[in-house]
Amino acid sequence: MNQQTYQSDLDNRPAVPISTVIISAMAIVFAVIVAVFVLPNWFPGMVQSMSGENLKVYWYLSRGSAVMAYLLLWFSMVLGLLMTNKMARFWPGAPAAYDLHEYVSLMGLAFVLFHALILMGDSYINIDLLHILAPFGSINFKPLQVALGQFGFYLW
């Protein structure tokens, strides 16, 4: 087999193997079944936070996504520092460290955006998109901390 034939065989491969797609679909179906049938029995307080007059699910999701964003961005910073010295040559290797750093940074960005946007559903804070985008807007909940977070996002 010559090099050109081998390269064309590599170019014709699917980007994601069918086994990965099937396993992912099965995992999603399993997660939905668990979420619908098992979680309400194990965690009745979680079901109450998603229904009724006093919805707290938005607040919980915002807090959880803030913690995840912080951890991911911290890990991204560590990976960025790792790439600037010789440690990246040993673990996990320079190209892998760069890819991991990029992936973790994008995941951190996604969690930051989710953290900000999910609060629009919270009736206690009662904010809209303008309050999320404008530092020191007329938000009543911890205006200094919110503005610092917005400035940090814009500087990032």
Side-chain angles (χ1 to χ4, degrees):
M1 175 182 286
N2 62 17
Q3 183 66 23
Q4 188 175 16
T5 305
Y6 178 73
Q7 186 62 37
S8 73
D9 287 344
L10 287 178
D11 292 339
N12 291 331
R13 287 187 312 181
V16 179
I18 190 70
S19 61
T20 304
V21 173
I22 291 171
I23 291 172
S24 299
M26 288 172 38
I28 290 170
V29 168
F30 178 74
V32 167
I33 290 171
V34 167
V36 170
F37 296 111
V38 176
L39 288 180
N41 296 327
W42 286 358
F43 302 108
M46 184 169 48
V47 174
Q48 290 173 346
S49 75
M50 290 187 268
S51 62
E53 299 171 5
N54 192 9
L55 293 176
K56 294 180 181 158
V57 69
Y58 296 110
W59 182 252
Y60 295 145
L61 287 172
S62 177
R63 289 294 178 148
S65 61
V67 170
M68 282 305 302
Y70 180 78
L71 292 174
L72 285 168
L73 294 176
W74 178 84
F75 187 53
S76 171
M77 180 196 64
V78 168
L79 288 169
L81 292 172
L82 178 77
M83 291 185 319
T84 62
N85 62 27
K86 296 180 183 181
M87 286 181 63
R89 294 184 193 148
F90 301 109
W91 182 90
Y98 177 78
D99 288 343
L100 188 59
H101 169 71
E102 182 180 25
Y103 177 75
V104 170
S105 297
L106 290 173
M107 287 299 296
L109 175 65
F111 273 95
V112 165
L113 291 174
F114 182 80
H115 164 68
L117 295 176
I118 195 68
L119 284 175
M120 290 192 316
D122 191 2
S123 60
Y124 178 76
I125 295 179
N126 197 19
I127 61 174
D128 57 5
L129 189 59
L130 179 65
H131 291 115
I132 290 173
L133 297 177
F136 295 111
S138 60
I139 188 166
N140 296 330
F141 182 78
K142 297 185 180 183
L144 178 64
Q145 289 89 340
V146 171
L148 289 174
Q150 290 166 328
F151 283 134
F153 176 72
Y154 290 142
L155 287 174
W156 174 38

